[in-house]
């Protein structure tokens, strides 16, 4: 892929990130003003309009935002628990995020640095190069990045695909880290929403 096309794709992804974030903020404000985030009955009534397709739509959205994070995961993950309950919310979150992370790893392994550079942009790509120079240090970054919230997990998955890490080992680390991350995102955000709603 030539440099001009690569820059165009980077700008497009950046624009989608901005638009996705703005759309998420607008939805959250609208949902809050209409009581959907403070009244679960009202929210479930709203979701009833989507019928049985709701879980499938949610799974597709989660998969897309895992590969190209156009919507903040810190919003969609707790939203899944709020929509589908503790157990199914966890399942509908984990499945697409888990598969999306493996897909990120596969893309990087198959298409190499040029694709990763295009997808993550200059800032994260140059950071990734420092991780690749320190392979032992990257193993710690990988483990922490897949466990701790607010880490650029998509970037870490892409970089992991550029190393000699086997996909089986990557899946093992992912299987340990991702459930923890999802639980932290889910219940910390829900706790904060409940806390704020009591003061408003």
């Amino acid at each position: 892929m030539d440099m001009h096309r690569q820059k165009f794709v980077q700008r497009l992804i950046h624009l989608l990130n901005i638009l996705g974030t703005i759309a998420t903020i607008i939805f959250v404000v609208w949902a809050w003003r209409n009581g959907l985030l403070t009244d679960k009955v009202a929210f479930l009534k709203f979701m009833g309009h989507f019928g049985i397709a709701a879980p499938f739509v949610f799974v597709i959205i989660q998969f897309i935002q895992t590969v190209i994070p156009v919507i903040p995961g810190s919003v969609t993950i707790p939203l899944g628990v709020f929509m589908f309950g503790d157990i199914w919310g966890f399942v509908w979150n984990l499945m697409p995020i888990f598969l999306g992370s493996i897909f990120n790893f596969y893309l990087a392994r198959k298409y190499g640095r040029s694709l990763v550079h295009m997808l993550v942009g200059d800032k994260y790509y140059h950071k990734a190069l420092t991780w690749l120079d320190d392979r032992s240090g990257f193993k710690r970054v990988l483990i922490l990045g897949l466990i701790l919230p607010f880490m650029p997990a998509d970037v870490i998955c892409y970089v992991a695909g550029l190393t000699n890490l086997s996909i089986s080992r990557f899946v093992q680390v992912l299987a340990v880290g991702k459930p923890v991350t999802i639980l932290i995102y889910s219940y910390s955000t829900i706790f904060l929403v409940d806390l704020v709603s009591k003061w408003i």
Side-chain angles (χ1 to χ4, degrees), residues 14-168:
H14 183 64
L15 177 61
L16 289 174
N17 288 337
I18 294 173
L19 293 176
T21 301
I22 293 173
T24 301
I25 293 172
I26 292 173
F27 173 76
V28 169
V29 171
W30 174 83
W32 185 279
R33 294 185 63 180
N34 285 274
L36 301 183
L37 299 182
T38 55
D39 184 351
K40 192 165 186 176
V41 174
F43 187 83
L44 292 176
K45 184 178 179 181
F46 167 76
M47 290 304 301
H49 292 96
F50 298 95
I52 61 174
F56 301 103
V57 172
F58 181 80
V59 164
I60 292 171
I61 291 173
Q62 279 293 58
F63 181 86
I64 292 173
Q65 76 84 20
T66 301
V67 178
I68 303 176
V70 295
I71 303 173
S74 57
V75 174
T76 56
I77 291 174
L79 193 60
V81 175
F82 200 75
M83 288 164 59
F84 306 112
D86 292 342
I87 296 176
W88 283 110
F90 178 78
V91 171
W92 296 139
N93 272 313
L94 180 61
M95 182 174 66
I97 291 175
F98 194 87
L99 294 176
S101 298
I102 295 174
F103 186 64
N104 290 348
F105 181 94
Y106 167 78
L107 286 176
R109 177 62 53 89
K110 184 173 179 62
Y111 297 104
R113 294 190 178 195
S114 59
L115 179 71
V116 173
H117 189 190
M118 181 183 68
L119 291 174
V120 305
D122 294 333
K123 175 184 175 182
Y124 281 123
Y125 179 71
H126 293 304
K127 181 67 175 177
L129 293 181
T130 64
W131 290 340
L132 291 174
D133 290 337
D134 182 9
R135 296 298 175 92
S136 60
F138 176 68
K139 291 179 181 179
R140 292 190 293 271
V141 172
L142 174 64
I143 294 172
L144 291 176
L146 295 180
I147 294 177
L148 297 178
F150 307 111
M151 292 284 283
D154 55 323
V155 177
I156 292 172
C157 292
Y158 285 126
V159 176
L162 297 177
T163 68
N164 59 0
L165 183 73
S166 68
I167 190 168
S168 60

